[in-house]
Each structure stands twice: as structure tokens, then as C-alpha cells.
Amino acid sequence: RQLRARLQMIWDEYDIDGNGILDKKELFSLMRDYFKRAVPVYAGVIEKRRMQRLIAKDRKYSNLRASTRLARIRKVVRKACMRRMKAYFAALCKKKNMQKLFEEMDNDGNECLDKE
């Protein structure tokens, strides 16, 4: 129920003309906003996984979890993850990629996504 209400709120926010469908422009706006918000979330997940692997591979790092050296390593990993995710989502936001995603979602080919 809460998910449906949240989705309704998002739909209403991006359905600018209020006609109950998302045209390309409205959907692209939604996707760009989503990708911008998703970058730090996904980068955080990747950072955590990489740090876990690094610590597991090298026991001396696991003994130095609170050290400044590990903090510096974590900072480098965080920056690399952010750069990678920004590049990934920037590529998704390119017009040709957005068009491809849109076409995959537009089941009836009417250049719009219906609410149902």
C-alpha cells in the first residue's frame, strides 16, 4: 500500500500535464533525476564490497581498521566508486540510451507510458 502511494506520488510529480501518461520528455526527466540520486547509493554499496574484499585478502588491514592508513585507502576507494558510478549513470542518460530504455518500456509503441 505504501509502495503504491509512493509510486503514485512520483508519477504525479513527473506527469507534468496530468494526463495520466508519461511521454518521453517526462520519463527522461524522471530517469535523470533518479540516476542522480542513485549514484551515491550504488557507489556506497560498491565501496563497502571492495573494502570487505580488500580487508579479507590482506590480514594486516583487518588489524588496522581504525588506522589513518585504512582511512586513506577507504577515501581513495570511495572516490573511485563515485567516479565509476557517475560515468555509468552519465552513459545511461545519453539520449540514445534513454531512447532505447524508453522503447523497451513502451509496450504498445504509442511513445507514452500508461499509468496502468
Side-chain angles (χ1 to χ4, degrees):
R1 203 174 268 244
Q2 289 178 342
L3 177 60
R4 187 165 179 80
R6 176 75 176 128
L7 291 173
Q8 179 66 46
M9 190 172 77
I10 292 169
W11 187 279
D12 293 343
E13 180 181 343
Y14 289 96
D15 183 16
I16 304 299
D17 53 13
N19 64 356
I21 60 173
L22 293 181
D23 59 30
K24 281 184 190 177
K25 186 177 177 182
E26 293 166 336
L27 182 66
F28 288 2
S29 176
L30 183 152
M31 292 169 71
R32 273 192 293 275
D33 289 351
Y34 169 78
F35 293 151
K36 285 179 191 174
R37 292 181 196 142
V39 166
V41 174
Y42 285 103
V45 169
I46 292 170
E47 173 193 346
K48 183 178 178 181
R49 287 181 186 161
R50 286 189 179 171
M51 290 303 296
Q52 286 171 341
R53 277 191 248 139
L54 178 65
I55 289 169
K57 283 183 179 180
D58 192 340
R59 287 285 179 209
K60 71 180 180 180
Y61 289 130
S62 63
N63 295 329
L64 301 172
R65 287 179 196 262
S67 74
T68 56
R69 182 174 182 194
L70 188 58
R72 285 192 304 246
I73 292 169
R74 186 178 302 280
K75 186 177 179 180
V76 169
V77 169
R78 182 177 295 127
K79 282 177 123 178
C81 291
M82 284 295 287
R83 267 196 311 271
R84 185 175 186 155
M85 292 313 303
K86 283 181 181 178
Y88 174 75
F89 285 119
L92 281 177
C93 285
K94 288 185 178 176
K95 191 168 185 168
K96 69 177 183 172
N97 293 332
M98 297 276 271
Q99 179 67 35
K100 184 178 177 184
L101 287 170
F102 183 82
E103 288 169 0
E104 288 175 10
M105 292 185 279
D106 184 17
N107 294 328
D108 57 7
N110 68 350
E111 304 247 331
C112 296
L113 297 182
D114 302 318
K115 196 183 247 183
E116 301 306 316

